[in-house]
Amino acid sequence: MRLFLLGPPGSGKGTQAQRLIHRYGIVQLSTGEMLRAAVAAQTPVGLKAKDIMASGGLVPDDIVIGIISDRLDLADAANGFILDGFPRTVPQAHALDELLKKKRLKLDAVIELRVNESALLQRVENRASETRARGEEVRVDDTPEVLVKRLASYRTLTEPLIHYYSERRKLLTVDGMMTIEHVTHEIGRILAAIGAADAKATKKAAKPAAKAARAGGRKTSKPARKASGGARKAAKTSPSRSRKASAGKTGKKPSRKAVSGSRKRPAVGGRKPAKKAAKKAGKRRA
């Protein structure tokens, strides 16, 4: 299963991604983590990103795509993945499509978690209040002020992906305002329907191939069947022909007729003269 979870900050993408990882045995591809791993491993792409990250600059899309490409080649990504933090823009989505096409892969679904922004702000405020009540420090990026800025950036850069993936019939929307359990259940239902549709399509595609293979087998075997049919026909007719031919050479059939004729005629002819002779002899005696 290859997925991309789409939604504004605070919509619950991270929570649902973790549940999907455990359920389907797939990996989460976080661009931030992949960049740090590539730098640590000193891969060619990682070395390019290292200086840019050190200066605080944004890593260009081509470098990010190169890191994703390397990551997809690892064995643990064979079962599937969830993209996290990428793509953020339509050009990045184009680049991702080209990468997956080269690797003969495809996204199974883009799941949008749709939420109400005012409800998100209230959710963040409540979370911040609960954190302070426990005596803990509130995260810098988990305040209403920061969320407002992140939401504005999402609307400008990332929200156009909704239209992009909708046009490609990849987008599936889930109400992110439901409880966590309800959201998980709805995503599971959607993915089960996708899996069933893919299995049906694969089965349907396999039927013409099997039919063509059978038809090809029939076509190639037709001359052989014709030859074998001719051989069987010859085998059936050859005994009678051989008997006729042998009969003509040896004269067995005429001899049988002659024998039967000789048996009948002499027997009948011989009996009649014998009776007449007996009658004459009786008259003479008398």
Side-chain angles (χ1 to χ4, degrees):
M1 193 66 68
R2 303 176 188 92
L3 307 170
F4 171 44
L5 296 183
L6 179 63
S11 59
K13 299 189 300 295
T15 300
Q16 296 302 327
Q18 288 302 312
R19 293 190 170 205
L20 290 168
I21 288 168
H22 294 299
R23 180 171 181 177
Y24 293 100
I26 55 182
V27 295
Q28 185 174 5
L29 303 185
S30 168
T31 51
E33 291 179 5
M34 286 188 290
L35 280 168
R36 288 188 290 273
V39 170
Q42 295 187 343
T43 64
V45 179
L47 292 174
K48 289 181 181 178
K50 183 178 180 180
D51 295 335
I52 299 171
M53 293 172 67
S55 63
L58 291 174
V59 179
D61 290 350
D62 60 333
I63 292 179
V64 177
I65 283 291
I67 289 172
I68 293 174
S69 177
D70 291 344
R71 184 65 181 84
L72 290 177
D73 291 336
L74 297 181
D76 62 347
N79 290 334
F81 55 80
I82 299 176
L83 288 166
D84 178 15
F86 191 91
R88 291 182 183 273
T89 64
V90 172
Q92 288 178 352
H94 275 297
L96 177 65
D97 286 346
E98 290 300 316
L99 172 65
L100 295 177
K101 186 178 180 180
K102 288 178 183 177
K103 292 183 178 294
R104 296 184 179 181
L105 300 173
K106 66 180 181 67
L107 282 175
D108 293 303
V110 175
I111 299 176
E112 177 203 4
L113 298 180
R114 186 166 293 179
V115 294
N116 184 292
E117 289 189 7
S118 60
L120 282 181
L121 288 169
Q122 185 63 47
R123 188 183 292 178
V124 170
E125 287 177 354
N126 292 339
R127 190 162 57 231
S129 298
E130 291 171 0
T131 303
R132 293 191 190 96
R134 292 193 301 267
E136 299 173 1
E137 188 177 351
V138 178
R139 279 170 36 187
V140 177
D141 61 346
D142 201 17
T143 63
E145 294 77 19
V146 172
L147 180 60
V148 169
K149 293 179 181 178
R150 293 177 68 192
L151 287 174
S153 176
Y154 173 82
R155 283 193 298 270
T156 303
L157 298 174
T158 309
E159 204 168 62
L161 290 176
I162 294 173
H163 179 68
Y164 177 85
Y165 285 115
S166 179
E167 280 189 329
R168 285 153 181 77
R169 297 183 179 181
K170 292 289 184 183
L171 186 73
L172 297 162
T173 301
V174 175
D175 182 4
M177 300 308 298
M178 296 188 294
T179 64
I180 292 174
E181 294 299 330
H182 278 90
V183 172
T184 300
H185 175 76
E186 186 63 14
I187 292 174
R189 185 189 66 79
I190 288 172
L191 295 182
I194 291 172
D198 287 346
K200 187 177 180 180
T202 303
K203 187 177 180 181
K204 188 176 180 180
K207 283 184 178 179
K211 188 176 181 181
R214 289 195 298 270
R218 285 196 295 269
K219 287 179 181 178
T220 54
S221 63
K222 189 175 180 180
R225 286 202 306 272
K226 189 174 181 181
S228 63
R232 286 195 298 270
K233 189 175 180 181
K236 287 180 180 179
T237 56
S238 59
S240 60
R241 288 178 181 174
S242 62
R243 283 198 299 268
K244 288 179 181 179
S246 62
K249 289 179 181 179
T250 59
K252 286 183 180 178
K253 286 188 176 180
S255 64
R256 284 199 296 269
K257 289 180 180 179
V259 170
S260 60
S262 61
R263 286 176 183 172
K264 290 177 181 179
R265 290 190 191 99
V268 175
R271 282 197 296 270
K272 285 182 178 180
K275 287 180 181 179
K276 289 180 180 180
K279 287 180 181 180
K280 287 179 180 180
K283 286 180 181 181
R284 288 184 189 140
R285 287 173 186 168

